[in-house]
Amino acid sequence: MAAVELRGVRKSYGSGKNALEVIHGIDCSVADGEFIVLVGPSGCGKSTLLRMMAGLEEISAGEIAIGGRVVNQLEPKDRDVAMVFQNYALYPHMSVRENMAYGLKIRGVAAAEIATRVERAAAMLELAPYLDRRPRELSGGQRQRVAMGRAIVRNPQVFLFDEPLSNLDAKLRVQTRMELQKLHREFNTTSLYVTHDQVEAMTLGQRLIVMNAGVAEQIGAPMEVYAKPASTFVAGFIGSPAMNLLRGEAQGDRFVTTATSAAIALATPAPPLSIHLPVPAPRDGPLVLGLRPEHLVPASAGAARFGFAVEMVESLGADSYAYGLGGGGTLIARVAAGTVPVVDEVLPLTFAAQHMHWFDAANGKRVA
Amino acid sequence: MVENRPGLNFFSHALLIIGVAVVAFPVYLTFVASTLTADQVLDAPMRLWPGSHLLENYAHVLQKGAGGAAPLSRLLFNSLISALVIAIGKIAISIISAYAIVYFRFPGRMFCFWLIFLTLMLPVEVRILPTYKVVADMGFLDSYVGLTLPLIASATATFLFRQFFLTIPDELLEAARIDGAGPLRFFWDVVLPLSVTNIAALFVILFIYGWNQYLWPLLITTQENMYTAVIGMRRMMSGGDAATEWNLVMTTAMLTMLPPAIVVILMQRWFVKGLVDSEK
């Protein structure tokens, strides 16, 4: 087990004038035994960052240290990390047992020691009956467990997971997610986990690194990221459905939204929202107001802050999502099951002052 | 194509049987001729039932040869050595070069690949004179080295292995690197076992290719006991003053056909798997 340090890590492809930088300097320290999730949309560089830690991609600038040792120049095998791949990457011609034992065999571990370690891992992962099967004879979930077993038997300093659940169906994903949590509790090995799935990120990570376009937008505990997103990007990415973002202008002590399009301006039920700014005011000028769908609550006509014209409703059982126009923009509101809104209805909605998120309209950064 | 129509079934079977007969009849005729005496073969029309000289003819050809050629056992041995060395040599060389081209980044990598690929356009016949000159200058005439070495370089096999290696997922290499396998270890433990069916399929094709070589052994060998079976057979029908002993020539033909047939039959399952199997 070991702590992992990222210091100004950059990655660029090509050189000279044609160099294309895809990771723009990431700093992060991962504590020993911590479970960190790298989350972001496709192409944000999260997998590249993970592969740089594994040693599969060169580090263009900056330093990565594992257990206090800078590993920039080390081969993957010398970094003492184990990696679980999205498509499992099991050796197809080897049995489950051989797959798990291969890394140990190469490292020259004694055969008896290999056998006990493999047996132990197999028992833990409920793979014992399949030890002599080939990967192709296993289901997707079993294959992924073999891949994890291969990582576990090595007893490495760091586990690296590259979207390990993406190839599994929804039910298996939930199940494997819980197994992963259990495994981490048991071994307490430092883990870095890449995913684009925010549910996985929220449930697995002790801390998240939310990445966008090669930049770490926010690093923090899941609930902290959810409660105080550092930018409009994080606000829109973490939380489902995404946070509503209304553009507007701070005028004196009031904030007035600007209609995002002519059509919305013309729609009578969705006039711009005009509310008192919190005191002290975040700042003057253009602002973005963020409101989570679950924080928009129905109110009596008198107490409502704005009218919400429902255009579409998705009922998910426990609650419903209403999509429509309100406060000068398109909004999503989460409504409890008891009150299923009707399309074309105008709902009076309100929200509590502590649930307002304020962002700078120019660079998207949180201001309050 | 799952409909069951008796008429169609009958028709397709009849067609297949006719096809098999057309292919098999000459082979059968060869077999019949190999069991007759020289005079019986020359009867017109030749009889269609096997005669009683089967063992006699085969023993004679194997031990003494015919038409002044060396004993066939020796020629078959020469053929076997050439075919095996060519097949194994081609596979060994091409799998290694394909591995280098696919898995290593070195300057001139694509240049090397295209250079190998270009030689596909130059079959043995095209470069036969310069090759002969080189082999002769090196003193490899009438030797196994001369028979096999010039035929070993193979663009086709390199290309096939390259295509196969490209289908092996990169993650497998990455997993092996993290597991601690170096390039040779990865080749030996992962790439080679995965290529087994391809190797088997190529072996069949290349063994037959080597066995059936005609022009090159004809040029390179001048001593009777370095001839391959195919050349030996041709020598037996040289004519001249002596009459060709057609029964012995046919016996030689039967015996020469046998080893490739055995290779095909024994490796058929692997062969088909290697050509068809895409899911590894």
Side-chain angles (χ1 to χ4, degrees):
Chain A
M1 277 180 276
V4 177
E5 286 285 335
L6 306 181
R7 289 189 282 265
V9 174
R10 290 169 182 273
K11 175 74 189 173
S12 45
Y13 292 103
S15 55
K17 237 188 256 170
N18 299 323
L20 175 70
E21 192 169 80
V22 292
I23 291 180
H24 310 290
I26 305 252
D27 292 282
C28 178
S29 40
V30 181
D32 185 3
E34 201 174 9
F35 199 116
I36 292 266
V37 175
L38 291 150
V39 61
S42 309
C44 68
K46 56 191 190 300
S47 280
T48 310
L49 190 60
L50 192 79
R51 292 162 56 81
M52 285 160 78
M53 292 183 220
L56 299 172
E57 299 271 358
E58 265 176 58
I59 300 161
S60 305
E63 272 182 348
I64 294 180
I66 297 175
R69 188 173 55 140
V70 175
V71 296
N72 284 33
Q73 299 301 325
L74 291 185
E75 278 287 299
K77 65 180 162 73
D78 301 322
R79 298 191 181 194
D80 203 7
V81 297
M83 188 155 168
V84 177
F85 295 86
Q86 178 178 354
N87 64 2
Y88 325 128
L90 300 174
Y91 308 117
H93 58 291
M94 295 185 195
S95 67
V96 169
R97 188 192 304 277
E98 290 164 332
N99 261 291
M100 299 215 285
Y102 187 61
L104 297 175
K105 208 176 94 188
I106 290 183
R107 283 178 162 72
V109 178
E113 167 74 10
I114 295 180
T116 43
R117 283 211 218 170
V118 169
E119 298 284 344
R120 194 156 11 115
M124 198 171 350
L125 295 163
E126 290 161 31
L127 285 169
Y130 310 110
L131 273 178
D132 293 310
R133 295 214 192 155
R134 295 283 170 90
R136 78 172 74 178
E137 295 165 280
L138 302 179
S139 69
Q142 289 166 336
R143 285 183 210 186
Q144 194 52 277
R145 291 216 295 278
V146 176
M148 285 182 215
R150 188 166 66 178
I152 289 170
V153 293
R154 290 254 320 276
N155 198 13
Q157 298 209 324
V158 179
F159 281 137
L160 303 172
F161 298 94
D162 191 2
E163 308 210 15
L165 307 185
S166 300
N167 281 7
L168 304 179
D169 64 51
K171 197 176 155 204
L172 212 52
R173 211 176 295 168
V174 176
Q175 197 185 328
T176 318
R177 206 165 70 204
M178 293 201 270
E179 276 171 31
L180 266 172
Q181 273 176 306
K182 217 174 70 192
L183 282 177
H184 183 251
R185 263 206 308 280
E186 212 153 312
F187 289 96
N188 214 25
T189 304
T190 314
S191 304
L192 287 122
Y193 185 105
V194 162
T195 182
H196 60 260
D197 183 317
Q198 49 145 323
V199 180
E200 275 173 35
M202 295 292 285
T203 51
L204 281 171
Q206 291 169 341
R207 276 198 299 157
L208 309 184
I209 302 180
V210 185
M211 288 191 63
N212 180 33
V215 172
E217 293 261 344
Q218 187 169 10
I219 300 177
M223 282 321 286
E224 183 190 320
V225 172
Y226 173 80
K228 288 193 121 193
S231 66
T232 49
F233 172 80
V234 179
F237 194 77
I238 299 291
S240 172
M243 184 187 277
N244 298 302
L245 297 170
L246 294 171
R247 291 180 164 274
E249 193 92 28
Q251 295 165 354
D253 64 342
R254 293 188 80 80
F255 171 76
V256 182
T257 57
T258 25
T260 44
S261 75
I264 292 170
L266 285 174
T268 41
L273 175 69
S274 175
I275 54 167
H276 279 287
L277 279 167
V279 183
R283 67 152 66 187
D284 280 342
L287 283 174
V288 175
L289 168 63
L291 293 165
R292 292 223 177 260
E294 52 270 43
H295 294 146
L296 295 175
V297 287
S300 63
R305 288 192 193 250
F306 63 94
F308 174 59
V310 181
E311 289 188 323
M312 196 181 82
V313 177
E314 284 179 347
S315 292
L316 301 176
D319 42 31
S320 314
Y321 298 134
Y323 298 76
L325 301 174
T330 50
L331 291 180
I332 308 170
R334 182 168 160 184
V335 195
T339 53
V340 177
V342 185
V343 173
D344 286 342
E345 180 187 12
V346 178
L347 279 179
L349 289 183
T350 188
F351 48 88
Q354 77 265 28
H355 289 145
M356 296 190 290
H357 303 267
W358 296 99
F359 303 98
D360 185 320
N363 60 15
K365 293 273 177 274
R366 184 181 192 87
V367 287
Chain B
M1 295 312 276
V2 287
E3 53 191 316
N4 186 15
R5 284 193 292 186
L8 197 68
N9 270 348
F10 176 78
F11 177 72
S12 47
H13 275 86
L15 207 63
L16 285 173
I17 289 167
I18 292 171
V20 169
V22 167
V23 173
F25 185 68
V27 179
Y28 175 72
L29 215 59
T30 310
F31 172 71
V32 170
S34 75
T35 63
L36 304 175
T37 64
D39 293 341
Q40 282 172 317
V41 175
L42 294 177
D43 285 348
M46 194 189 90
R47 54 192 280 191
L48 289 179
W49 303 113
S52 56
H53 300 272
L54 177 94
L55 293 177
E56 187 189 320
N57 285 347
Y58 281 71
H60 183 268
V61 165
L62 281 173
Q63 286 159 14
K64 300 202 187 78
L72 186 61
S73 50
R74 169 75 195 186
L75 304 187
L76 285 174
F77 177 75
N78 290 346
S79 280
L80 188 70
I81 295 287
S82 314
L84 282 178
V85 171
I86 289 172
I88 294 169
K90 264 181 188 280
I91 288 170
I93 297 267
S94 52
I95 200 168
I96 295 171
S97 41
Y99 185 67
I101 285 170
V102 172
Y103 286 104
F104 291 86
R105 304 272 169 279
F106 53 90
R109 190 172 67 102
M110 281 323 279
F111 177 74
C112 289
F113 172 68
W114 284 110
L115 212 60
I116 294 172
F117 198 64
L118 269 176
T119 61
L120 264 181
M121 295 173 199
L122 303 170
V124 177
E125 290 73 11
V126 177
R127 53 191 159 89
I128 204 151
L129 285 177
T131 313
Y132 181 85
K133 172 85 172 114
V134 171
V135 170
D137 287 352
M138 293 172 85
F140 289 148
L141 294 181
D142 279 319
S143 72
Y144 291 124
V145 180
L147 272 173
T148 54
L149 195 62
L151 299 175
I152 280 180
S154 174
T156 325
T158 309
F159 189 67
L160 283 176
F161 278 123
R162 173 185 178 264
Q163 294 311 103
F164 169 66
F165 291 166
L166 289 178
T167 67
I168 296 179
D170 287 342
E171 282 85 354
L172 228 49
L173 170 67
E174 291 169 353
R177 283 181 67 191
I178 291 176
D179 268 343
L184 283 178
R185 194 81 201 232
F186 178 67
F187 177 73
W188 194 255
D189 284 348
V190 179
V191 172
L192 211 56
L194 287 178
S195 317
V196 164
T197 50
N198 289 56
I199 291 175
L202 265 174
F203 178 80
V204 173
I205 295 170
L206 296 177
F207 183 86
I208 293 172
Y209 166 84
W211 187 271
N212 287 343
Q213 279 301 315
Y214 180 72
L215 188 56
W216 182 249
L218 189 66
L219 281 179
I220 209 82
T221 55
T222 48
Q223 290 168 17
E224 297 282 352
N225 65 355
M226 282 311 292
Y227 284 160
T228 60
V230 180
I231 305 294
M233 191 170 19
R234 178 68 191 81
R235 288 270 298 143
M236 288 176 193
M237 2 176 187
S238 56
D241 8 332
T244 302
E245 294 167 294
W246 283 108
N247 57 332
L248 299 184
V249 174
M250 292 302 159
T251 308
T252 309
M254 285 308 291
L255 285 169
T256 307
M257 272 190 277
L258 213 53
I262 291 172
V263 167
V264 170
I265 290 167
L266 286 183
M267 304 200 65
Q268 192 179 25
R269 221 167 55 91
W270 289 90
F271 179 69
V272 174
K273 229 176 140 187
L275 294 183
V276 175
D277 218 12
S278 55
E279 207 261 325
K280 294 287 163 190

